Amino acid sequence: MEQVGDAADGGADVALARAGRGAPTLGYRVPAALAARVPVGALVLVPVREARERGVVVARRAQPGPHDLRPIIGLAQPETCLTDGQVALAREVCAALHVGLFDVLAAMLPAGALRRVEPLLVVTAAGHAADLLALPQDEREMLFALRRVAPCRRERVRTLVRGAAARRDGCLAALIARGYVLEQAAQPPDAPRPRRAEDVLLVADEA
């Protein structure tokens, strides 16, 4: 039977709003499925205690460090990414003005990038190719169900997999750590634009 392990491809430092000035970044493992999609400057979802928070990747490492214990969950906004130069400038401003690193980075993000959008669960290519029989029963049932309905919201999992909420959350966290499932923010629909009043000049034809 195939041995299944947590797939990781390096580590990353992520600037978070709640990290504050004393510890402006936290370290995370980068799942293999996300390795090519989370460069420096990417806006990501990461676990912080029991919550999920948005942060900006400010450094990448080829190998996970000793403090990179938890994996990045997914992309908060797939199309949003700051440049290396913007991240470097944010560090300089943070050091010169003694402000939070995330606060400076947030000011550089496009308008609306930090809007709260309920993320979607997406099964990765590795998740579709995984041997279900090599997984624990709970994870096997959840991945099988997600293959049929993903992308979907977390609420849908409650109708697909029986059991307590803590058990479902644990299974989902394990699949994310293996690189089989990602959380990716759904793109919100464009807000309706206000109708503009335009002046119209009517000219009567001369008889």
Side-chain angles (χ1 to χ4, degrees), residues 121 142 145-146 149 152-163 168-169 171-172:
L121 298 174
M142 178 171 290
L146 287 173
V149 301
C152 65
R153 301 189 186 280
R154 270 182 172 251
E155 287 76 7
R156 185 70 189 277
V157 175
R158 300 172 187 168
T159 66
L160 298 173
V161 181
R162 301 183 300 274
R168 289 195 302 267
D169 290 344
C171 289
L172 184 56

Side-chain angles (χ1 to χ4, degrees), residues 6-199:
D6 291 354
D9 189 4
D13 289 334
V14 179
L16 299 165
R18 67 166 58 190
R21 300 176 188 175
T25 64
L26 293 178
Y28 290 91
R29 289 188 294 111
V30 179
L34 279 177
R37 304 178 65 195
V38 289
V40 170
L43 186 60
V44 294
L45 286 169
V46 294
V48 180
R49 296 186 178 89
E50 301 303 320
R52 292 170 294 157
E53 299 289 340
R54 296 184 178 204
V56 177
V57 176
V58 295
R60 284 288 307 269
R61 289 179 291 281
Q63 297 295 328
H67 301 294
D68 302 336
L69 302 179
R70 304 179 73 181
I72 291 175
I73 295 172
L75 296 171
Q77 291 286 358
E79 305 302 325
T80 299
C81 187
L82 299 176
T83 65
D84 289 349
Q86 287 175 307
V87 173
L89 177 60
R91 288 185 181 277
E92 293 179 7
V93 173
C94 175
L97 301 182
H98 304 287
V99 295
L101 179 56
F102 182 84
D103 294 335
V104 181
L105 293 166
M108 297 178 175
L109 292 170
L114 294 177
R115 283 182 296 178
R116 289 290 178 180
V117 180
E118 182 65 24
L120 296 177
L121 298 174
V122 179
V123 178
T124 66
H128 283 291
D131 180 5
L132 293 177
L133 294 179
L135 293 171
Q137 181 177 351
D138 290 348
E139 295 178 36
R140 177 167 65 244
E141 293 177 359
M142 178 171 290
L143 183 57
F144 177 77
L146 287 173
R147 283 178 176 179
R148 292 185 291 117
V149 301
C152 65
R153 301 189 186 280
R154 270 182 172 251
E155 287 76 7
R156 185 70 189 277
V157 175
R158 300 172 187 168
T159 66
L160 298 173
V161 181
R162 301 183 300 274
R167 174 186 165 206
R168 289 195 302 267
D169 290 344
C171 289
L172 184 56
L175 292 175
I176 290 173
R178 294 182 192 277
Y180 293 167
V181 176
L182 296 177
E183 281 193 287
Q184 179 172 295
Q187 293 297 328
D190 293 335
R193 297 181 179 179
R195 301 181 66 179
R196 295 189 306 169
E198 298 183 357
D199 294 331

Side-chain angles (χ1 to χ4, degrees), residues 200-207:
V200 178
L201 178 63
L202 299 178
V203 180
D205 294 335
E206 295 183 359

